């Protein structure tokens, strides 16, 4: 009671994660014991994300010194062209995080935009008939711009 005021309810206790969450997996333990050099591309690729970024320490669970070794090895391997700088998975290897149909429509739209792929354009037109609820905004915008360019060239 401070100045005749009552104390409010106690704040909630923080949620404690189970310790097994923080334990490294057997693979992580085995990789942490390896000496990491630029020659070991098979080891390095375990620590690289799908887009080519080096995974952070909180994910790799490596010591500070080992993480520095890893970063140095990745940089050297990239300089020597053993590892690509930007890593974009092939379409069949990627796991879509969104609706698979929407993901497919987006990928087909990218192909139409980048390479003018006629097969992708035809597939998108069929998808527009079968799945009208998907978002085809980028494709429709690209098609409108293409028609405007054709009309401008024709006149």
């Amino acid at each position: 009671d401070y100045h005749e005021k009552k104390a409010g309810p106690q704040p909630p206790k923080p949620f404690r994660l189970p310790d097994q969450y923080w334990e490294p997996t057997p693979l992580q333990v085995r990789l942490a014991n390896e000496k990491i050099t630029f020659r070991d591309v098979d080891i390095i690729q375990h620590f690289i994300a799908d887009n080519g970024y080096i995974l952070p320490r909180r994910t790799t669970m490596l010591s500070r010194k080992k993480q520095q070794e890893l970063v140095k090895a990745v940089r050297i391997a990239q300089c020597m062209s053993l590892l690509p700088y930007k890593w974009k998975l092939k379409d069949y290897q990627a796991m879509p995080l969104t609706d698979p149909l929407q993901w497919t429509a987006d990928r087909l739209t990218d192909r139409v935009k980048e390479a003018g792929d006629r097969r992708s354009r035809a597939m998108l037109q069929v998808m527009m008939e079968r799945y009208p609820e998907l978002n085809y905004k980028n494709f429709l915008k690209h098609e409108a711009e293409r028609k405007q360019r054709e009309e401008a060239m024709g006149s």
Side-chain angles (χ1 to χ4, degrees), residues 18-144:
D19 285 339
Q20 58 109 26
Y21 176 80
W22 300 107
E23 290 175 13
T25 63
L27 175 67
Q28 286 172 327
V29 170
R30 219 168 48 240
L31 293 174
N33 292 334
E34 295 281 336
K35 178 152 175 50
I36 302 171
T37 63
F38 69 90
R39 294 180 188 94
D40 305 320
V41 178
D42 54 330
I43 293 173
I44 293 174
Q45 70 186 5
H46 284 283
F47 298 109
I48 295 181
D50 293 341
N51 57 4
Y53 289 10
I54 302 169
L55 293 173
R57 244 182 85 198
R58 67 177 175 270
T59 309
T60 62
M61 299 183 112
L62 292 172
S63 66
R64 192 169 145 270
K65 191 174 180 182
K66 280 285 184 184
Q67 184 77 12
Q68 286 174 341
E69 259 182 51
L70 170 72
V71 170
K72 192 174 179 183
V74 169
R75 295 278 181 257
I76 292 171
Q78 287 173 338
C79 283
M80 297 181 78
S81 299
L82 298 173
L83 279 177
Y85 282 97
K86 290 185 180 169
W87 207 325
K88 189 172 182 186
L89 288 176
K90 303 274 189 268
D91 289 350
Y92 58 84
Q93 291 175 319
M95 182 67 196
L97 297 176
T98 59
D99 173 28
L101 287 170
Q102 183 63 55
W103 183 81
T104 305
D106 293 342
R107 277 301 169 99
L108 289 171
T109 302
D110 290 344
R111 284 187 187 171
V112 169
K113 281 180 166 181
E114 292 168 9
D117 189 13
R118 292 190 317 203
R119 179 178 287 162
S120 298
R121 179 177 284 116
M123 288 172 72
L124 276 165
Q125 288 167 347
V126 169
M127 282 182 75
M128 287 171 72
E129 292 171 11
R130 288 194 184 166
Y131 308 105
E133 69 277 2
L134 295 178
N135 180 8
Y136 300 103
K137 190 173 93 177
N138 288 337
F139 174 67
L140 294 172
K141 182 179 171 187
H142 176 74
E143 288 296 296

